[in-house]
Amino acid sequence: MAISPKNRARALEIAKELNEINGGRYHDDGTPKTFDELEIETDELTDLLSSLALNQSAKELPNEERPIRCPQCKAVPKPHDPDDDEPMIIQTARGEAEWVNEGYFCRRCRRSFFPSAG
């Protein structure tokens, strides 16, 4: 994924905010943190952020501009029925991701599918 200059600039702003969340370069007593301490703090925070971002992406709902389509025949399925939903929790390299898979049924293929499952 290529990151645009605009998004790189935004990432730098976010990195500065994350440094503040981690408490910065120095301990409360004024002594500098070791690189190892900084790395551990940063790893913990980036793992949390990755997990939160995955959860947000998994919960993202389709919009009217791009309707849900059957992965097999590309037909638009019958309207979503909450009874078809499946709760999902998976362990990722960065932590747990949790969401509800919206289930759909394609009348043409006579099969259920879950768009977020790919």
Side-chain angles (χ1 to χ4, degrees):
M1 173 179 115
I3 299 174
S4 70
K6 178 182 174 184
N7 285 339
R8 284 185 181 277
R10 177 68 183 120
L12 178 58
E13 293 171 22
I14 293 169
K16 289 176 183 176
E17 291 176 38
L18 296 176
N19 187 47
E20 288 178 27
I21 290 171
N22 271 343
R25 172 74 174 94
Y26 298 93
H27 292 287
D28 291 339
D29 65 3
T31 58
K33 294 177 183 175
T34 65
F35 187 82
D36 191 47
E37 290 172 319
L38 293 170
E39 184 177 26
I40 290 168
E41 288 177 351
T42 302
D43 287 347
E44 289 174 9
L45 189 55
T46 55
D47 285 350
L48 173 63
L49 290 171
S50 293
S51 179
L52 293 171
L54 282 170
N55 279 291
Q56 283 301 117
S57 293
K59 291 175 185 175
E60 188 176 296
L61 298 175
N63 60 44
E64 292 178 14
E65 296 169 11
R66 295 185 321 175
I68 295 294
R69 296 195 177 272
C70 172
Q72 184 83 25
C73 71
K74 309 299 184 227
V76 176
K78 73 176 188 170
H80 171 252
D81 180 353
D83 288 340
D84 294 333
D85 293 351
E86 291 285 331
M88 297 292 296
I89 300 173
I90 62 170
Q91 183 66 41
T92 72
R94 300 289 185 198
E96 283 188 349
E98 182 176 348
W99 71 95
V100 173
N101 254 347
E102 287 192 347
Y104 291 85
F105 183 78
C106 177
R107 292 179 192 170
R108 186 182 295 169
C109 295
R110 297 181 1 174
R111 67 185 276 249
S112 294
F113 66 95
F114 300 91
S116 65

